[in-house]
Structure formats: C-alpha cells, structure tokens
Amino acid sequence: MAKRRVAILISGRGSNMTALIEAAAAQDYPAQIALVISNIAGAGGLAKAGAAGIKTETIESKPFGKDRESFERKLNDILVAHDIELVCLAGFLRLLTPWFVRQWDGRMLNIHPALLPSYKGLHTHERALADGVKIHGATVHFVVPEMDSGPIIMQGAVAVHDDDTPDSLGARVLGVEHRIYPDSLRLVASGQTRLDSGLCKIASTSPDATLISPSIS
C-alpha cells in the first residue's frame, strides 16, 4: 500500500510535529510527512521540519485579519497542490471555519491535552488540578466544526499527583501526546479506523488495560 501523504499545520515549536516526523521515518509506517505549513513566519517547527528534509510553507494569517475563510482557501489550495490526503494539527493556533473542516471531513486530526469530552478549550491542566481529578491525559480526535468535539481516535492517561503543578502535569501529558499522535495517525493511514454514527471505531484493539489512581497496594 502506498504511504498516505500528510501535511502538518503548526504555529510554534512543533513538538508533536517532531514526534510524527520521527515515527514516519520508519519504513513500515503507513504515512509520509510531505509538508509542514505554519501560519506564523519563523515558527520554530519550520526549521526542524526543514532539517528533516520536509518541504515547508508559510501562509501568514495576520494579513487576512478576520477573513478566516480567505486564509483557509489559500491554505486549502496549497494542500491540494501537494496531493495531501491527511492533515494533522499540531499546535495550530487558528479556529477553523466549517467550510475548511468540510473539505477535510474524516481526514483531519487534532490532539488535545485532556481526556475529552472533559476540559475542552484552553488551560486544561489548571482546570483539571482545580477540580482535583485523579487521572488526566490527552486525546487524538477527528476535527469537526465544533471545537474539541470530533470522534475520538485514541486517548492516553496519566495519574495526577497531589503535588502537581500545571507545568509538571503538562510535561507528563506531553509525553503521552508524543506517543498517541503517531499511533493514531498510523491507525488512520492504514485504514484501521471507520466513522460510524459520529464515533470512531478501530479495527484492531489491544488487550484491556486499567489505570487506577491513586493505587493502593
């Protein structure tokens, strides 16, 4: 099977982008990172992608002001011109219009630093700590017009410690993000996912695993 051509959209340093690029370097990985696009000139991730031999583009969003769709039409033209099949959002700091999301329905992934549907939006680690949750984590999902609401592909969890700060908790969650995003893209690119009534079904599943926090010996 030919590798699926993937574009990653970034706005900053691109740590999840780097995890995807490193995973896609494996010969048996079913996707190739063909393009990285930033909406901010000089974003740190652009240099990393270039160093990995990946083509990069910058489409600055600022000149478009509030005309989000015009920006997205230019973005879409570049994706189509590069024969992109799947799009991964990796710290892309833009709210996408329903028009753009429709163009990539079932073909655009995002990663969110919380166990959706809990803690949609920003400041997820602060909110989780304020609520006293014992388990927190990250979610990879398909993108739909409603923010942080698409079908869930994969989730990873960490235990929350009593002495956690947003930074310490966020660092552990980031480690989980770097594991589940490449695995999610692998599932989608290899055709092991299907959308059914707004839910993502996985063809192959791993044995059941349980995370209980706090654990009592």
Side-chain angles (χ1 to χ4, degrees):
M1 180 190 288
K3 294 193 175 197
R4 308 292 297 279
R5 289 177 61 82
V6 176
I8 304 176
L9 308 187
I10 65 170
S11 296
R13 61 194 172 124
S15 73
N16 272 303
M17 174 206 74
T18 300
L20 291 170
I21 289 172
E22 289 175 353
Q27 199 166 358
D28 63 347
Y29 197 78
Q32 67 170 113
I33 310 305
L35 181 65
V36 171
I37 302 178
S38 174
N39 69 310
I40 296 175
L46 291 171
K48 295 178 187 175
I54 296 167
K55 184 170 177 55
T56 63
E57 296 268 4
T58 299
I59 313 170
E60 289 201 69
S61 49
K62 211 169 185 179
F64 290 91
K66 294 183 179 178
D67 189 356
R68 289 191 290 153
E69 192 170 312
S70 290
F71 165 78
E72 290 172 354
R73 286 187 182 275
K74 184 170 182 180
L75 172 61
N76 193 66
D77 287 346
I78 290 177
L79 294 170
V80 171
H82 285 84
D83 299 317
I84 297 303
E85 299 170 86
L86 298 168
V87 174
C88 290
L89 307 181
F92 189 59
L93 304 178
R94 295 280 298 178
L95 285 175
L96 298 169
T97 68
W99 176 84
F100 186 81
V101 172
R102 280 197 303 271
Q103 310 310 306
W104 296 93
D105 184 39
R107 298 188 297 146
M108 182 159 54
L109 288 65
N110 183 46
I111 189 156
H112 182 72
L115 294 172
L116 293 174
S118 297
Y119 306 117
K120 297 176 182 180
L122 302 174
H123 309 300
T124 58
H125 309 315
E126 290 88 343
R127 290 155 59 200
L129 290 173
D131 285 343
V133 300
K134 302 303 183 187
I135 294 171
H136 188 47
T139 302
V140 181
H141 63 96
F142 286 108
V143 178
V144 297
E146 297 76 31
M147 186 179 69
D148 301 332
S149 298
I152 292 170
I153 303 165
M154 187 179 288
Q155 293 181 301
V158 299
V160 180
H161 304 158
D162 285 347
D163 60 353
D164 262 327
T165 64
D167 285 345
S168 66
L169 179 57
R172 290 204 306 286
V173 170
L174 189 63
V176 168
E177 292 180 41
H178 293 167
R179 291 174 59 188
I180 66 173
Y181 212 172
D183 284 347
S184 296
L185 180 57
R186 180 191 293 275
L187 288 174
V188 174
S190 60
Q192 295 185 69
T193 59
R194 63 182 174 86
L195 294 175
D196 182 0
S197 302
L199 300 177
C200 178
K201 307 289 187 178
I202 310 294
S204 60
T205 55
S206 57
D208 287 343
T210 302
L211 171 61
I212 297 174
S213 178
S215 59
I216 302 173
S217 55

